[in-house]
Amino acid sequence: PAGIPEHTLDVVTVHRILMTPLSVGSLYIFSEISGSLIGGWLVWDALFFFGSSVVMYLLLRRFFESDIVAFIGGLFFAGNYAMVTSGLGMFVDIAAWSFYLLALYLVHHYLLVGGYRHLVVAAIIVSVGGLFKENAYTALAAIGIILLFREWRTPIRFLFHA
């Protein structure tokens, strides 16, 4: 673009490659499969869009214990302006949102049934999601708050139990 020095664009490109390696790599794979960058990006976005909508449906069903409420909430989530424009646009945010929601689902599952494995898997999911885009790391705040809330009396026992 006019007015932007060439070295600035190079820095941004290198930053994106270093900060979102799984996004760049998976977009390359989907582009090779579909035969074009636009087609690969559309397939990639659509998979994460529908995947995150399903996870939101499952999360709402757990919260409200109603399939109808979960279905309507899932439709509202999928039809949300930010979800449609940023999720189906040519951005890499949708992958991080999907991993974020999946981690929140597992944190909620931990609250219901216990089991530290769910928190460990949630942390792994956040770590993988962070390799797609750094937005996924915000789920670590939920994990930390839940740990402080549930284990504030015995943090040392929790660390050795995990």
Side-chain angles (χ1 to χ4, degrees):
I4 298 177
E6 187 66 32
H7 69 277
T8 303
L9 295 176
D10 292 340
V11 168
V12 170
T13 302
V14 169
H15 177 263
R16 279 292 121 200
I17 290 172
L18 292 175
M19 293 300 293
T20 61
L22 289 183
S23 291
V24 174
S26 60
L27 284 173
Y28 175 77
I29 290 169
F30 280 110
S31 297
E32 289 294 317
I33 291 170
S34 70
S36 74
L37 177 63
I38 303 295
W41 209 315
L42 179 64
V43 170
W44 186 75
D45 278 347
L47 286 174
F48 280 113
F49 179 84
F50 290 115
S52 61
S53 297
V54 167
V55 172
M56 179 57 91
Y57 166 80
L58 294 172
L59 188 61
L60 290 174
R61 192 172 77 182
R62 281 252 170 121
F63 277 152
F64 297 109
E65 298 176 354
S66 169
D67 288 331
I68 293 174
V69 170
F71 180 72
I72 292 171
L75 285 179
F76 282 151
F77 176 74
N80 183 349
Y81 177 78
M83 185 71 170
V84 172
T85 57
S86 295
L88 294 177
M90 294 174 79
F91 302 105
V92 295
D93 296 58
I94 187 72
W97 295 348
S98 299
F99 286 103
Y100 172 79
L101 284 174
L102 190 55
L104 290 183
Y105 178 80
L106 289 170
V107 167
H108 186 257
H109 189 71
Y110 166 74
L111 285 174
L112 292 178
V113 299
Y116 296 109
R117 289 185 188 138
H118 301 297
L119 287 179
V120 172
V121 172
I124 291 170
I125 286 172
V126 168
S127 300
V128 170
L131 294 174
F132 279 95
K133 181 89 191 268
E134 60 274 3
N135 302 359
Y137 292 132
T138 56
L140 291 175
I143 294 172
I145 290 168
I146 295 302
L147 285 176
L148 288 174
F149 174 73
R150 296 275 306 256
E151 305 295 335
W152 68 275
R153 291 186 185 144
T154 57
I156 301 300
R157 186 182 62 131
F158 170 75
L159 289 175
F160 289 114
H161 187 280

